[in-house]
């Protein structure tokens, strides 16, 4: 008996400690205990429960690891129906929503209505019921009236409290969205791949699949999360008077609430928030598919009431769909500047992710094989954020009977030279080299582009016309172009022809790093070019460099090293480089001996992340200047980050920095840092 008493006391201490750590870790992302120590506490708790099963209460942290598998899910009738939302798609729909509410509330005057704007999370709706502050059950939405009892699965989600603090209402039903963050989704798919299982198509499906497990131990292993967004049943009528207050109080009770929600004024406020979140969307850690606007005052919500299955006081403003169906009108190949032959699908134009897409890259032969795509196929196209559009899958049911498998060309469509395939069908190259006009055009387009030599006014069409007109064969010919030659091209007048000649002439003197990048050495990007410039100081030194020496440099691997050596050894390339110099292209040599010792640089060893928009300089300039001071500039915030520079409209990275308590500075701080 006294043993039970001691066990009960220890069990209570362990329970409250474990839940405290769960809360710090999963809701605030700020653990203050090592994983190992946490596991020890949990093991001790499990041991006590196995000796004294009566201590295994409904709110014990042991519930987080999953329980015995079920045969089926029980049904649960919702005390109050779980509604859906009406949708809006454009500015007009939002103004209309606001106008209707004004009318229904008898607020036809000029008064501006306050709304709460929140991300519309792309996961699964859940209702969680607490009685006397203890988790009682959780249910899916189902048909809105009856859902399924998924309590044992929901309890494994560690950010969901199993017991509420004192002062919480006796009966409380909280509703929210369960979702999987991108990082967790990627990690889960890696595990699936290792176990030879099919990957999940998107985070939403992964979250749904994880919640629908009869074996909650499987759910426990899945990285699920929740944001709560509303109340269902509540015994305390005075809990809150506005929606924003409701969410604040739910936050106080320990529920995760989306940190991005904002109180806004009128339809203009709603639309400004929509625009803001549209920009942040691709930076967020989780999927959202729109914005939900909710009338803030609860008494007004009650007066506005409901239509059919949705409230009149809320509206889901959907982002343009990121996946759409269309057909493949053709497949052909493009030849790049290094001769890479890339297949491209020509699509029936389709509006997806906010833009019209008519071409998508198919990358290479093995990707075509993986997708099994053919001309005439019906396909799903996806464009999310700034990510390039992709074909996700082929609908075989709609394949025309006459369609045939795509055969990759054996010869370059531009110059007729043989296409050489390297690797497992991953890289195909035209062997035509400089006789291939397609390669010549691409090489010149790269040379004149903004990050390369940066010749103002030299667009792609002009390059095409110059090459097709036989006026230039390689980049050095640009510098001997004459006014007469240019004026004879279609679309040029005196002034525009002279401007082009002038802007070419103004780019004779360039930095060595730019020149190196412009040459288009395979796989030599801006930062490698800069490293080469700083290490070797001039072009001649690079002509005699060995693979071994290059490989000794940080960030240069064997393939890039070989590409560099091969490029400088090629007689055609040598001729072009000599011609550039003869035609007046020059650069300041860098005194290599003067290179600073990295240890002496002020930001040596510091990892810095840039996020948000900068006004006074471009992100890439900021990066270069920080690197020049010895800093490592990284793309994501982690515990290893030393400093985060926060520009305008910064998103999740800024939030993460705050959560991890990493030092942050704004643009002024950055300018000061750069001196
Ligand atoms: S409020 C009566 N808020 O969208 C109000 N729903 O299309 C009901 N959803 O079933 C929902 N994020 O699963 C609300 N911030 C949010 C939401 C949200 C996602 C989902 C929810 C609901 C569906 C309605």
């Amino acid at each position: 008996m006294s043993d039970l008493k001691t066990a009960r006391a220890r069990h209570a201490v362990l329970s409250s400690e474990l839940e405290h750590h769960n809360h710090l870790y999963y809701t605030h992302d700020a653990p203050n205990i090592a994983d190992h120590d946490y596991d020890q506490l949990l093991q001790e708790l499990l041991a006590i429960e196995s000796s004294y099963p009566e201590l295994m209460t409904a709110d014990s942290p042991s519930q987080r690891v999953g329980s015995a598998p079920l045969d089926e899910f029980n049904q649960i009738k919702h005390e109050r129906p779980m509604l859906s939302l009406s949708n809006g798609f454009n500015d007009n729909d939002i103004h209309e929503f606001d106008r209707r509410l004004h009318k229904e509330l008898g607020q036809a005057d000029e008064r501006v209505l306050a709304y709460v704007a929140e991300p519309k999370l792309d996961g699964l709706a859940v209702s969680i019921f607490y009685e006397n502050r203890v988790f009682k059950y959780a249910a899916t939405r189902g048909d809105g009236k009856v859902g399924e009892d998924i309590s044992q699965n929901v309890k494994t989600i560690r950010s969901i409290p199993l017991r509420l603090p004192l002062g919480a209402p006796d009966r409380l039903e909280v509703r929210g969205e369960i979702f999987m963050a991108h990082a967790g989704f990627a990690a889960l798919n890696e595990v699936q791949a290792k176990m030879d299982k099919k990957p999940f198509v998107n985070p939403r499906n992964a979250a749904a699949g994880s919640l629908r497990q009869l074996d909650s131990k499987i759910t426990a292993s899945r990285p699920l999360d929740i944001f709560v967004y509303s109340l269902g049943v509540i015994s305390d009528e005075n809990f809150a008077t506005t929606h924003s207050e409701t969410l604040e109080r739910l936050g106080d009770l320990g529920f995760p609430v989306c940190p991005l929600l904002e109180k806004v004024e009128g339809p203009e406020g709603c639309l400004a928030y929509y625009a803001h979140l549209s920009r942040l969307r691709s930076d967020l850690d989780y999927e959202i598919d729109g914005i939900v606007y909710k009338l803030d005052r609860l008494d007004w919500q009650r007066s506005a009431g409901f239509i059919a299955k949705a409230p009149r006081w809320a509206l889901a403003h959907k982002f343009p769909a990121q996946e759409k169906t269309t057909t493949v009108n053709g497949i052909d190949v493009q030849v790049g500047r290094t001769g890479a032959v890339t297949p491209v699908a020509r699509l029936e134009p389709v509006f997806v992710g906010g833009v019209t897409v008519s071409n998508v890259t198919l990358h290479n032969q093995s990707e075509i094989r993986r997708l099994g795509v053919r001309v005439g196929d019906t396909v799903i196209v996806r464009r999310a954020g700034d990510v390039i559009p992709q074909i996700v899958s082929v609908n075989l049911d709609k394949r025309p009977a006459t369609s045939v498998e795509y055969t990759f060309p054996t010869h370059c469509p531009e110059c007729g030279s043989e296409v050489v395939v390297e690797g497992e069908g991953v890289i195909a190259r035209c062997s035509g080299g400089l006789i291939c006009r397609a390669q010549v055009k691409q090489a010149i387009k790269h040379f004149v582009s903004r990050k390369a030599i940066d010749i103002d006014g030299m667009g792609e069409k002009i390059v095409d016309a110059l090459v097709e007109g036989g006026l230039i064969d390689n980049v050095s010919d640009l510098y001997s172009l004459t006014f007469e030659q240019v004026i004879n091209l279609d679309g040029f007048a005196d002034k525009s022809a002279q401007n082009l000649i002038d802007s070419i002439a103004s780019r004779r003197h360039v930095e060595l790093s730019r020149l190196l990048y412009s040459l288009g050495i395979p796989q030599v990007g801006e930062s490698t070019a800069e490293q080469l410039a700083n290490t070797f100081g001039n072009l001649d030194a690079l002509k005699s460099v060995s693979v071994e020496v290059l490989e000794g440099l940080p960030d240069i691997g064997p393939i890039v090293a070989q590409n560099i050596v091969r490029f400088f050894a090629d007689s055609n390339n040598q001729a072009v480089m000599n011609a550039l110099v003869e035609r007046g292209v020059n650069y300041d040599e860098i005194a290599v001996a003067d290179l600073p010792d990295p240890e002496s640089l002020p930001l040596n060893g510091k990892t810095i992340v840039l996020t948000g928009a900068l006004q006074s300089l471009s992100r890439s300039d900021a990066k270069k200047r920080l690197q020049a001071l010895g800093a490592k500039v990284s793309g994501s915030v982690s515990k290893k980050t030393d400093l985060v520079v926060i520009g305008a409209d910064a998103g999740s990275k800024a939030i993460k920095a705050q959560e991890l308590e990493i030092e942050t500075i704004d643009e002024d701080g950055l300018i000061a840092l750069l001196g």
Side-chain angles (χ1 to χ4, degrees):
M1 181 65 203
S2 79
D3 277 356
L4 174 61
K5 212 168 143 193
T6 326
R8 190 187 301 281
R10 181 68 187 148
H11 185 272
V13 170
L14 287 169
S15 295
S16 94
E17 265 192 42
L18 282 163
E19 282 306 276
H20 173 68
H21 292 304
N22 275 337
H23 188 65
L24 287 182
Y25 188 96
Y26 291 99
T27 306
H28 297 293
D29 228 349
N32 66 1
I33 177 175
D35 288 358
H36 173 77
D37 298 336
Y38 177 92
D39 284 342
Q40 277 200 330
L41 295 178
L42 184 62
Q43 289 313 320
E44 191 185 343
L45 182 94
L46 294 175
I48 295 179
E49 289 187 2
S50 95
S51 310
Y52 302 99
E54 60 267 53
L55 296 181
M56 200 190 294
T57 51
D59 64 339
S60 162
S62 64
Q63 304 292 306
R64 305 288 197 190
V65 296
S67 32
L70 304 174
D71 294 327
E72 58 172 10
F73 293 116
N74 289 326
Q75 296 213 317
I76 284 188
K77 187 171 178 317
H78 298 299
E79 268 187 52
R80 293 177 58 180
M82 283 183 82
L83 302 171
S84 59
L85 292 165
S86 308
N87 291 325
F89 297 96
N90 52 47
D91 292 13
N92 195 29
D93 293 345
I94 313 315
H95 283 285
E96 187 50 42
F97 163 67
D98 180 68
R99 262 196 300 273
R100 260 197 326 267
L101 275 175
H102 266 282
K103 224 161 99 196
E104 265 142 25
L105 296 170
Q107 298 285 331
D109 56 13
E110 292 306 298
R111 194 146 161 188
V112 179
L113 297 176
Y115 296 99
V116 174
E118 343 178 324
K120 185 168 188 309
L121 307 152
D122 198 10
L124 296 112
V126 67
S127 144
I128 311 174
F129 211 102
Y130 292 83
E131 214 166 57
N132 300 323
R133 300 193 290 118
V134 176
F135 181 108
K136 192 163 177 228
Y137 66 78
T140 61
R141 177 168 180 272
D143 62 4
K145 294 194 185 93
V146 178
E148 281 179 327
D149 182 348
I150 51 166
S151 306
Q152 80 291 18
N153 291 344
V154 171
K155 280 184 176 182
T156 68
I157 301 174
R158 291 193 160 63
S159 54
I160 295 178
L162 296 179
R163 173 181 285 275
L164 302 180
L166 281 170
D170 295 342
R171 300 185 82 232
L172 176 68
E173 183 198 359
V174 182
R175 292 173 178 180
E177 197 85 350
I178 291 180
F179 61 92
M180 198 178 281
H182 289 305
F185 171 69
L188 172 60
N189 267 351
E190 260 174 43
V191 175
Q192 292 286 107
K194 269 193 203 129
M195 301 196 308
D196 270 337
K197 288 195 182 154
K198 250 177 88 173
F200 291 99
V201 254
N202 57 40
R204 188 182 186 281
N205 286 8
S210 304
L211 272 187
R212 226 176 276 123
Q213 294 292 337
L214 288 166
D215 182 353
S216 52
K217 293 216 164 53
I218 297 179
T219 315
S221 73
R222 302 281 173 83
L224 293 171
D225 234 313
I226 189 170
F227 282 137
V228 302
Y229 52 61
S230 73
L231 289 175
V233 174
I234 181 154
S235 56
D236 176 4
E237 276 174 20
N238 301 318
F239 189 69
T241 58
T242 58
H243 179 61
S244 42
E245 196 191 338
T246 304
L247 296 178
E248 212 177 297
R249 297 225 36 206
L250 288 176
D252 294 343
L253 292 179
F255 293 100
V257 176
C258 180
L260 295 171
L261 59 87
E262 251 172 55
K263 202 165 146 178
V264 297
E265 300 270 304
E268 281 77 20
C270 292
L271 292 171
Y273 181 87
Y274 180 90
H276 174 57
L277 263 278
S278 301
R279 286 192 296 271
L280 278 192
R281 185 181 185 189
S282 54
D283 275 346
L284 295 181
D285 291 340
Y286 42 85
E287 292 277 329
I288 65 174
D289 57 356
I291 305 296
V292 187
Y293 311 123
K294 298 173 184 171
L295 195 58
D296 196 30
R297 272 176 64 163
L298 298 182
D299 55 341
W300 283 356
Q301 285 192 2
R302 280 187 285 273
S303 340
F306 303 90
I307 22 157
K309 285 187 178 156
R312 279 207 187 85
W313 44 262
L315 186 75
H317 189 177
K318 301 291 279 280
F319 289 135
Q322 294 188 314
E323 287 188 2
K324 281 276 185 69
T325 298
T326 188
T327 49
V328 177
N329 292 338
I331 298 177
D332 52 38
V333 293
Q334 273 176 352
V335 184
R337 74 182 147 86
T338 58
V341 177
T342 310
V344 179
R346 309 292 173 188
L347 304 175
E348 188 57 34
V350 59
F351 188 74
V352 55
V355 298
T356 300
V357 174
S358 31
N359 305 308
V360 290
T361 175
L362 291 168
H363 302 288
N364 52 49
Q365 273 168 282
S366 59
E367 175 68 359
I368 295 182
R369 246 178 268 134
R370 189 186 71 79
L371 283 169
V373 62
R374 297 180 180 184
V375 175
D377 270 342
T378 298
V379 292
I380 293 177
V381 176
R382 178 176 175 80
R383 180 191 181 268
D386 298 334
V387 183
I388 58 164
Q390 300 281 357
I391 291 182
V392 184
S393 60
V394 175
N395 182 344
L396 294 178
D397 295 340
K398 295 212 172 150
R399 171 167 284 173
T402 53
S403 86
V404 289
E405 210 174 304
Y406 174 74
T407 46
F408 206 81
T410 54
H411 289 82
C412 174
E414 297 280 344
C415 71
S417 306
E418 202 184 332
V419 170
V420 183
V421 178
E422 304 162 15
E424 303 263 286
V426 178
I427 302 171
R429 263 185 223 290
C430 161
S431 56
L434 289 177
I435 66 145
C436 179
R437 285 241 168 116
Q439 289 188 47
V440 170
K441 282 183 195 168
Q442 296 302 334
I444 297 171
K445 286 174 190 172
H446 171 74
F447 186 84
V448 302
S449 65
R450 204 169 48 79
K451 289 181 179 167
I453 298 293
D454 191 14
I455 297 182
D456 207 26
M458 185 76 126
E460 300 210 346
K461 289 219 173 81
I462 297 176
V463 174
D464 288 343
L466 289 170
V467 174
E468 277 157 25
L471 298 179
I472 54 178
D473 284 327
N474 65 61
V475 295
S476 73
D477 294 339
L478 286 168
Y479 294 94
S480 51
L481 272 178
T482 63
F483 175 81
E484 286 69 31
Q485 286 174 318
V486 175
I487 190 97
N488 281 329
L489 293 174
D490 269 356
F492 276 93
D494 279 6
K495 188 154 183 272
S496 50
Q498 193 55 50
N499 283 347
L500 187 62
I501 297 291
D502 290 347
S503 71
I504 296 172
S506 75
R507 301 301 289 156
R508 276 207 166 85
H509 182 82
V510 291
E511 298 127 69
L512 176 58
S513 58
R514 261 187 198 271
L515 182 59
L516 281 169
Y517 172 68
S518 309
L519 293 174
I521 307 165
Q523 295 183 35
V524 172
E526 286 167 283
S527 71
T528 308
E530 192 168 324
Q531 200 182 8
L532 292 175
N534 289 336
T535 314
F536 298 99
N538 61 54
L539 279 184
D540 283 335
L542 272 159
K543 287 179 189 159
S544 52
V545 75
S546 70
V547 169
E548 292 69 30
V549 168
L550 287 168
E551 271 194 66
L553 298 177
D555 303 334
I556 293 189
I559 295 178
V560 178
Q562 245 175 41
N563 284 342
I564 296 167
V565 169
R566 226 183 260 154
F567 184 92
F568 283 98
D570 182 286
S571 58
N572 285 321
N573 294 334
Q574 284 175 5
V576 171
M577 285 186 280
N578 290 338
L580 280 170
V581 175
E582 274 163 28
R583 289 167 185 177
V585 173
N586 63 88
Y587 55 87
D588 291 331
E589 293 201 6
I590 298 171
V592 180
D594 288 342
L595 281 180
D597 168 15
E599 302 270 312
S600 70
L601 293 171
L603 298 178
N604 179 44
K606 294 267 182 269
T607 301
I608 300 182
V609 174
L610 295 163
T611 181
L614 300 173
Q615 315 295 331
S616 54
L617 75 176
S618 72
R619 179 109 45 121
S620 70
D621 283 345
K623 180 172 171 183
K624 277 194 195 142
R625 291 178 58 186
L626 287 168
Q627 282 169 336
L629 295 176
K632 185 170 166 251
V633 179
S634 156
S636 59
V637 178
S638 73
K639 282 185 204 144
K640 292 192 188 128
T641 310
D642 295 296
L643 179 70
V644 179
V645 180
I646 300 185
D649 284 340
S652 57
K653 287 179 199 165
I655 297 168
K656 185 121 185 238
Q658 247 173 23
E659 286 170 355
L660 295 178
E661 293 182 3
I662 291 165
E663 190 190 342
T664 60
I665 53 171
D666 60 7
E667 185 162 349
D668 291 342
L670 172 69
I671 304 293
L673 187 66
L674 293 173

